[in-house]
Amino acid sequence: MNFIKMQGLGNDFIFIIDKEENYLKDEIEIAKKVCNRRFGIGADGLVIIRNSDIADAKMIIINSDGSKANMCGNAIRCFAKYLYEEGIVKKKNITIETGDGVKISELFINKDDKVDLVRVNMGKPSFKGVDIKLNNKDKLIDEVVEINNKRYKLTSLLMGVPHTILINNNNEYSMEDGKIIEKYDLFKENTNVNLVKIYNKESIEVRTWERGAGATLACGTGCCASLVALNKLGLCESKAKITTLGGNLIVEIVNDDVFMTGEATFICSGVVLN
């Protein structure tokens, strides 16, 4: 089984082509195997490239624990770069079918015909409890929640996948808090958790505990969700630089749509032997 490994801000993925959906017979077990950092290649997730009836290609994402994700911001930038540089789709604006609908990726291509940056329309966020899959709650915006005798002020929204934002200006929270919040019974299908530090209204830092993957160096949808939440609370402008452990993104809100711009990089290619 041939693969290519890519990363976006340190969020790494194994890419496999299965256009006709007849190559991978047990994709969940394959994802858990190849993503294992001791006994496999090692990655935060498996990304499968398939044909689409409504877009240039279809992106399937399976987290390292075998759970599926509707959307991933860092993966989709890698996906668009892969399609272009491997000659699968030679267009500067590529449409990609995801579990969260069709996303449009704009490629910034250099004189060597390589992709420097990818700008993705991530779509519209939602603060509705029914979309986030909250238990018996219409919304969760700047609200104190007590979990295991510890108080957290949380804001949750759907940005392709559910995200919960926790302001962490004084470093009072850690990834262990993210792990606890992820599985809190308020969230029917669990939640991603973002610890956010505000530098100023145009610059923030985001650390993410990802549902199904744990602590990662960066999360594209998490960065987008963090900007949207802070903007709604009046703490951030509609465009900001987002700093993560793996690098930086530019995120902006334009007419209620959220746009994310950042890099994507090839790491290696090879063959899975067994």
Side-chain angles (χ1 to χ4, degrees), residues 32 81 83 89 121 128 131 133 135 165 171 209 217:
K32 290 192 287 187
K81 180 182 176 78
L83 292 178
V89 182
N121 184 339
K128 295 179 180 178
D131 294 332
K133 302 292 194 300
N135 271 313
I165 283 72
N171 297 315
W209 176 272
L217 292 179

Side-chain angles (χ1 to χ4, degrees), residues 128-142:
K128 295 179 180 178
V130 66
D131 294 332
I132 307 164
K133 302 292 194 300
L134 296 180
N135 271 313
N136 303 315
K137 208 166 184 58
D138 294 333
K139 63 181 182 298
L140 182 66
I141 300 175
D142 202 30

Side-chain angles (χ1 to χ4, degrees), residues 24-44:
L24 302 181
K25 300 304 181 184
D26 193 348
E27 58 194 31
I28 300 300
E29 290 306 312
I30 289 172
K32 290 192 287 187
K33 179 179 178 179
V34 300
C35 291
N36 188 294
R37 297 191 185 276
R38 299 295 182 185
F39 298 100
I41 303 162
D44 292 322

Side-chain angles (χ1 to χ4, degrees), residues 9 11 114 152 197 216 264 267:
L9 304 187
N11 209 187
K114 301 297 183 183
Y152 304 96
K197 186 176 294 186
T216 59
I267 299 174

Side-chain angles (χ1 to χ4, degrees), residues 6-218:
M6 300 185 72
Q7 64 89 14
L9 304 187
N11 209 187
D12 56 347
F13 308 95
I14 305 299
F15 279 76
I16 294 174
I17 296 177
D18 183 26
K19 289 186 177 182
E20 303 298 333
E21 300 189 36
N22 57 12
Y23 179 52
L24 302 181
K25 300 304 181 184
D26 193 348
E27 58 194 31
I28 300 300
E29 290 306 312
I30 289 172
K32 290 192 287 187
K33 179 179 178 179
V34 300
C35 291
N36 188 294
R37 297 191 185 276
R38 299 295 182 185
F39 298 100
I41 303 162
D44 292 322
L46 172 68
V47 178
I48 304 170
I49 300 170
R50 288 190 169 140
N51 290 330
S52 172
D53 295 326
I54 58 174
D56 292 318
K58 183 177 183 180
M59 179 175 75
I60 303 296
I61 308 166
I62 306 174
N63 294 317
S64 58
D65 71 347
S67 61
K68 288 193 174 182
N70 285 334
M71 181 58 187
C72 174
N74 290 324
I76 199 170
R77 293 197 318 279
C78 293
F79 195 92
K81 180 182 176 78
Y82 184 109
L83 292 178
Y84 186 87
E85 293 195 10
E86 292 296 305
I88 299 170
V89 182
K90 294 297 283 187
K91 295 163 58 177
K92 291 186 178 180
N93 290 284
I94 296 177
T95 56
I96 299 170
E97 180 185 352
T98 75
D100 187 46
V102 175
K103 308 297 181 186
I104 300 173
S105 298
E106 178 186 0
L107 310 184
F108 295 85
I109 300 165
N110 62 32
K111 60 182 176 60
D112 297 319
D113 201 34
K114 301 297 183 183
V115 177
D116 285 334
L117 293 169
V118 182
R119 183 175 188 257
V120 184
N121 184 339
M122 301 289 283
K124 291 177 171 56
S126 172
F127 287 89
K128 295 179 180 178
V130 66
D131 294 332
I132 307 164
K133 302 292 194 300
L134 296 180
N135 271 313
N136 303 315
K137 208 166 184 58
D138 294 333
K139 63 181 182 298
L140 182 66
I141 300 175
D142 202 30
E143 187 172 327
V144 174
V145 173
E146 187 170 307
I147 308 173
N148 297 340
N149 298 317
K150 189 169 182 178
R151 292 162 63 86
Y152 304 96
K153 185 176 279 191
L154 306 177
T155 296
S156 293
L157 65 150
L158 186 77
M159 191 72 246
V161 289
H163 277 279
T164 296
I165 283 72
L166 178 62
I167 295 174
N168 193 35
N169 286 339
N170 299 316
N171 297 315
E172 60 265 54
Y173 304 110
S174 71
M175 286 293 101
E176 282 302 310
D177 293 290
K179 183 178 182 180
I180 292 166
I181 295 168
E182 176 202 357
K183 297 184 180 297
Y184 181 49
D185 58 14
L186 175 62
F187 305 103
K188 291 181 184 178
E189 298 180 0
N190 300 335
T191 183
N192 299 282
V193 182
N194 304 277
L195 308 185
V196 180
K197 186 176 294 186
I198 304 169
Y199 296 139
N200 56 59
K201 286 202 167 188
E202 296 179 343
S203 180
I204 65 174
E205 175 187 291
V206 177
R207 301 286 181 266
T208 303
W209 176 272
E210 289 197 47
R211 179 184 66 169
T216 59
L217 292 179

